[in-house]
Amino acid sequence: MTNPTKLSTHDLNVFYDEKQAINNISMAIESNKVTSFIGPSGCGKSTFLRCFNRMNDVIPACRVEGQIMMGDQNINDQKLDPVLLRARVGMVFQKPNPFPKSIFENVAYGPRIHGLVSSKSETADVVEDSLKRSGLWNEVYDRLHDPATGLSGGQQQRLCIARAIAVSPEVLLMDEPCSALDPIATTIIENLINELQERYTIIIVTHSMQQAARVSQNTAYFHLGHLIEYGATKDIFTNPADPQTEAYISGKIG
Amino acid sequence: MSWPCPYLGVQEAVISNPIKDMSADERLHLISVSLNKRHRKEKQLKLAGLAAITLAIGFLVVLMTNIFSNGYTALLQSEVRIDINVPKAEILGADGAIDIQKSQAFNWNGLVKKSFRAGFPDVKGMSDRRMLNDLVSENAGYELRQAIEKDPSLIDQSSFWVKTSDDVDMLLKGRIKTTLPEKLRRIKDSQLVWINQLEQKNDLRKVFNTAFFTNADSREPESAGILGAIVGSAMVLMITIIIALPLAVMAAIYLEYFAPPGRLTDFIEVNINNLASVPSIVFGLLGLAIFLGFFNMPRSAPLVGGMVLALMTLPTIIIATRASIRAVPTSIRDAALGVGASRMQAALDHVLPLAAPGILTGTIIGIAQALGETAPLIMIGMVAFIVDVPTSVTDPATALPVQIFIWSDSAERAFYERSSLAIMVLLIFLISMNLLAVFLRKRFEKRW
């Protein structure tokens, strides 16, 4: 069962100055599925992920070459305004990074700057709905105007997810969203990913093989800037085609 | 394994490892020996630091004591009581009110001097009379006129307290040694006798020197004040802040976020850092050549002074702003960009508020530096002798440090004590600005 392609890359190369971080990767991401990127540290999976919402633009030394198609648009076109792209492709970072403002302001910020809400009550509705979908509402509904930095790490990360989904993006990029969290917070976020999958195409970078197996339908294995293997998660984990993938997922390296 | 993997493989230890080979006691002994050495070094460093701080505080105390002991007497001003009968007919108009034109034409100073001499009927001869006149301030007549024009009821009063001359003031404050030979004294023996007579009649007193805080500069030390300089400084600083703060913050944001990396940007960066260390008098020359010479702006004006000091302060604020922008974690910027904020929004909505305490501190330190700056203001003519308190930024004015410079250069001993008092006032302004910086930083940091 395959869904339509949401995003695809064609001969994508990424350089940091002279050093090549991504070599000729062509792959297609299925819509409304969770795709996980796994691989040892430094293999370029985060760099690759950041290509999908052009976050690499902020790194002066970074150069992205090749095509990334979203629909019939090449989002790697430097003429394209990344702001619009980032409203369609949201991102959750490795370390929870709420704005040092109130919980409410964190979630309301995106809808406000994009002009998606026009009244206070609309904003409040969006904030409530986003917090509910990220499973944080019950914990914070009575202190929405407290500083977000007072939340625990897991709560902060769910707040960041709420902030990302508040503008209803089509794709959600997650860069090791659970690496700074304890197992309980991790479980909560994994459940959340399962629920969010109905509405969003999710790409998640993870160091945990178990997490990839639990949350994703597709898995891609990266090694030293190369895409080694890409396919359905259950195939990759039970019957990897490439010996490198097998060594990694069986715990021999990584 | 069928494929090479850089991550795998254990290497044999082949060289001898002295730490691994020694006994536990030996190892602990070596560590404790080295620990003693480290403690000793730590102690030495602590002592050196303590010595440095003590020395610095010592110098500061010496400086402060010196300034204070020179300056505190300027808070008092000597006055002499003179019986004066104001001739009403020559001042009042037909309606019984003061006629300003008549008052202007009247010789007030002559009246004061004549009345004063009347207290010493046995003093005869031109030179003696002149020496007697010298005991009273040259401005006494003018100040009497001011007082009566302000409050006409005083006209009926029969005796007035008027300021003594600065030499008498210095003598009464013990700043003129009577043990010196007469030739080396500004107060002669005959004058000493008259002053003694006045003292015996209780006609001398010392009062709080309000003129110092309400007047602008004057030729006579007893009438000279710093209000003009304070207002001048305030105007200069206002112009400096208005120009430098927005320009510097914008420049810093541009350089941090928008400047395309390249030679031009590097060149600008290097030059901003260089400008921060350019001697201030060079900025004064620049102001003289460009603002006064080319644009024909008014000489001695706080407007130009503020512009010159703004140029001087710009690099300081730019550097401080960039440092505080960089101190904001990039995760905050990434978060803003991640939800689709434009770079400007990320900078203004999230990074700047977090960088604000640092920017404010840098600004206030730069402004405090500008407040104490003399050389560039001298170059653009703010060193002029100005007796009026400026009322607009294009009026000629001086600034506090320049006023101190002018007074400390004057021959009169009384100006010397006034410059010390002015230094105290300047220091109070500087300290309060620094306290404000600390307060603002604390205040803004609490919000996050």
Side-chain angles (χ1 to χ4, degrees):
Chain A
M1 183 183 71
T2 54
N3 288 1
T5 299
K6 184 76 201 173
L7 285 161
S8 59
T9 66
H10 304 278
D11 298 325
L12 198 72
N13 289 292
V14 181
F15 302 86
Y16 289 108
D17 285 330
E18 296 309 305
K19 191 176 165 293
Q20 190 159 8
I22 296 291
N23 291 287
N24 268 329
I25 294 186
S26 301
M27 72 185 293
I29 308 286
E30 280 182 80
S31 69
N32 292 80
K33 283 202 173 174
V34 180
T35 305
S36 58
F37 291 174
I38 59 170
S41 293
C43 69
K45 53 196 186 307
S46 285
T47 300
F48 187 59
L49 183 78
R50 289 161 66 94
C51 292
F52 290 114
N53 70 344
R54 296 261 301 271
M55 279 303 277
N56 286 327
D57 284 13
V58 300
I59 304 166
C62 188
R63 204 168 80 244
V64 180
E65 287 172 2
Q67 273 191 331
I68 307 167
M69 301 303 290
M70 186 175 189
D72 51 6
Q73 200 170 26
N74 176 15
I75 58 176
N76 195 35
D77 183 352
Q78 289 304 311
K79 275 177 261 169
L80 182 91
D81 188 356
V83 169
L84 180 64
L85 173 66
R86 288 175 195 144
R88 299 176 68 193
V89 183
M91 183 153 192
V92 177
F93 296 84
Q94 180 171 2
K95 224 180 100 213
N97 57 354
F99 301 130
K101 301 189 176 198
S102 73
I103 296 169
F104 186 92
E105 287 300 318
N106 263 279
V107 185
Y109 183 69
R112 268 197 204 133
I113 57 168
H114 291 301
L116 298 173
V117 285
S118 51
S119 69
K120 275 190 174 172
S121 65
E122 274 184 31
T123 314
D125 289 347
V126 169
V127 169
E128 182 176 343
D129 181 56
S130 305
L131 285 171
K132 277 180 174 161
R133 278 193 287 150
S134 69
L136 195 60
W137 177 254
N138 288 339
E139 293 157 63
V140 300
Y141 69 92
D142 53 349
R143 49 175 173 140
L144 287 176
H145 296 284
D146 286 5
T149 38
L151 297 173
S152 74
Q155 288 173 326
Q156 286 188 10
Q157 196 61 299
R158 276 181 286 151
L159 178 66
C160 292
I161 294 174
R163 180 176 68 190
I165 62 181
V167 293
S168 287
E170 298 152 47
V171 182
L172 202 54
L173 308 176
M174 298 181 149
D175 190 357
E176 297 180 45
C178 303
S179 65
L181 305 183
D182 67 53
I184 295 170
T186 303
T187 311
I188 296 173
I189 299 221
E190 282 179 10
N191 291 339
L192 183 59
I193 293 171
N194 280 330
E195 285 163 25
L196 292 173
Q197 176 196 339
E198 286 175 23
R199 293 194 49 168
Y200 308 106
T201 304
I202 296 176
I203 308 176
I204 177 169
V205 167
T206 176
H207 271 299
S208 158
M209 247 72 67
Q210 292 85 344
Q211 186 171 65
R214 281 194 299 265
V215 301
S216 67
Q217 289 83 50
N218 291 324
T219 297
Y221 173 68
F222 291 83
H223 190 82
L224 296 175
H226 293 273
L227 176 62
I228 306 297
E229 196 169 353
Y230 177 41
T233 301
K234 59 178 191 302
D235 295 339
I236 299 264
F237 279 90
T238 54
N239 190 19
D242 194 287
Q244 292 187 53
T245 318
E246 188 189 354
Y248 183 74
I249 60 172
S250 59
K252 283 184 188 143
I253 57 167
Chain B
M1 198 135 32
S2 59
W3 53 281
C5 174
Y7 302 100
L8 294 181
V10 178
Q11 281 171 3
E12 287 285 320
V14 282
I15 50 159
S16 76
N17 179 339
I19 299 176
K20 221 169 87 190
D21 296 340
M22 70 178 63
S23 73
D25 285 347
E26 206 179 339
R27 203 166 56 91
L28 286 179
H29 172 72
L30 284 177
I31 291 176
S32 73
V33 167
S34 87
L35 200 58
N36 283 336
K37 216 162 144 191
R38 277 179 271 171
H39 283 319
R40 218 166 36 242
K41 275 198 175 151
E42 220 166 84
K43 216 173 198 170
Q44 282 168 359
L45 195 69
K46 219 163 116 185
L47 281 177
L50 207 62
I53 287 178
T54 317
L55 196 68
I57 290 180
F59 277 125
L60 196 66
V61 167
V62 169
L63 177 76
M64 290 297 180
T65 323
N66 186 20
I67 292 173
F68 184 76
S69 63
N70 276 326
Y72 79 99
T73 48
L75 285 170
L76 294 177
Q77 169 64 45
S78 308
E79 290 186 344
V80 58
R81 183 166 58 197
I82 306 176
D83 294 328
I84 302 175
N85 281 313
V86 183
K88 292 180 194 167
E90 301 195 35
I91 293 149
L92 298 183
D95 54 349
I98 288 177
D99 185 333
I100 298 292
Q101 279 188 342
K102 274 177 143 182
S103 169
Q104 255 172 7
F106 182 66
N107 182 3
W108 287 95
N109 218 20
L111 174 69
V112 171
K113 295 277 152 99
K114 210 169 76 193
S115 309
F116 180 60
R117 285 200 307 270
F120 299 87
D122 17 327
V123 176
K124 304 257 159 58
M126 274 291 270
S127 76
D128 275 2
R129 283 171 64 174
R130 186 176 296 139
M131 276 165 73
L132 189 57
N133 279 349
D134 282 349
L135 297 186
V136 179
S137 165
E138 278 304 312
N139 279 350
Y142 174 75
E143 278 167 13
L144 181 67
R145 176 188 146 201
Q146 296 274 312
I148 286 181
E149 280 177 4
K150 206 172 138 205
D151 181 5
S153 67
L154 290 175
I155 206 163
D156 296 321
Q157 212 170 299
S158 61
S159 81
F160 292 86
W161 286 100
V162 302
K163 285 175 180 153
T164 65
S165 71
D166 53 313
D167 289 333
V168 177
D169 190 41
M170 287 296 101
L171 178 82
L172 295 176
K173 287 172 180 168
R175 299 244 185 240
I176 293 181
K177 285 200 184 77
T178 47
T179 49
L180 283 173
E182 191 182 8
K183 267 190 180 172
L184 299 177
R185 260 189 274 128
R186 286 186 61 88
I187 295 278
K188 306 301 175 200
D189 286 343
S190 54
Q191 290 175 312
L192 278 176
V193 175
W194 299 326
I195 291 169
N196 263 331
Q197 286 174 12
L198 286 171
E199 261 178 338
Q200 268 151 25
K201 282 194 286 177
N202 265 336
D203 278 351
L204 286 172
R205 69 170 186 184
K206 279 186 220 158
V207 293
F208 183 71
N209 188 1
T210 40
F212 186 77
F213 298 98
T214 55
N215 284 2
D217 202 5
S218 167
R219 292 251 180 258
E220 307 301 324
E222 61 271 17
S223 307
I226 51 165
L227 185 65
I230 290 178
V231 173
S233 267
M235 286 177 171
V236 166
L237 290 194
M238 197 179 67
I239 300 285
T240 306
I241 294 174
I242 290 174
I243 296 177
L245 184 60
L247 269 184
V249 173
M250 295 296 169
I253 292 177
Y254 178 79
L255 285 173
E256 279 301 306
Y257 283 108
F258 299 99
R263 289 212 172 165
L264 185 64
T265 310
D266 289 347
F267 181 74
I268 292 172
E269 280 200 46
V270 167
N271 277 295
I272 286 173
N273 293 334
N274 281 342
L275 277 181
S277 53
V278 165
S280 56
I281 195 156
V282 176
F283 285 103
L285 282 169
L286 182 88
L288 178 64
I290 294 183
F291 297 142
L292 298 187
F294 189 74
F295 289 109
N296 274 322
M297 296 177 94
R299 203 165 282 272
S300 311
L303 177 68
V304 181
M307 287 163 75
V308 168
L309 291 184
L311 288 181
M312 199 195 79
T313 320
L314 263 176
T316 315
I317 306 183
I318 292 179
I319 291 170
T321 306
R322 293 187 71 184
S324 11
I325 287 178
R326 279 189 200 154
V328 175
T330 49
S331 67
I332 297 293
R333 185 194 59 181
D334 285 354
L337 294 177
V339 291
S342 66
R343 288 199 290 184
M344 199 67 197
Q345 283 170 327
L348 292 183
D349 295 350
H350 300 288
V351 178
L352 266 196
L354 289 175
I359 297 174
L360 273 179
T361 314
T363 306
I364 292 175
I365 287 171
I367 295 295
Q369 197 186 345
L371 173 63
E373 205 52 71
T374 322
L377 299 184
I378 291 177
M379 293 310 298
I380 57 138
M382 286 190 78
V383 72
F385 171 74
I386 287 144
V387 291
D388 291 316
V389 177
T391 52
S392 87
V393 289
T394 48
D395 282 354
T398 49
L400 264 177
V402 184
Q403 189 67 74
I404 291 166
F405 168 76
I406 296 173
W407 283 347
S408 65
D409 213 26
S410 302
E412 288 91 340
R413 190 65 175 69
F415 272 130
Y416 184 68
E417 75 170 10
R418 275 165 178 76
S419 66
S420 288
L421 186 59
I423 289 172
M424 283 194 260
V425 172
L426 179 62
L427 284 178
I428 288 170
F429 274 107
L430 286 173
I431 291 170
S432 27
M433 284 178 81
N434 282 322
L435 286 179
L436 183 73
V438 172
F439 170 75
L440 285 176
R441 194 171 53 212
K442 286 263 185 296
R443 170 86 199 265
F444 275 87
E445 270 171 354
K446 257 185 213 157
R447 280 177 53 198
W448 310 108

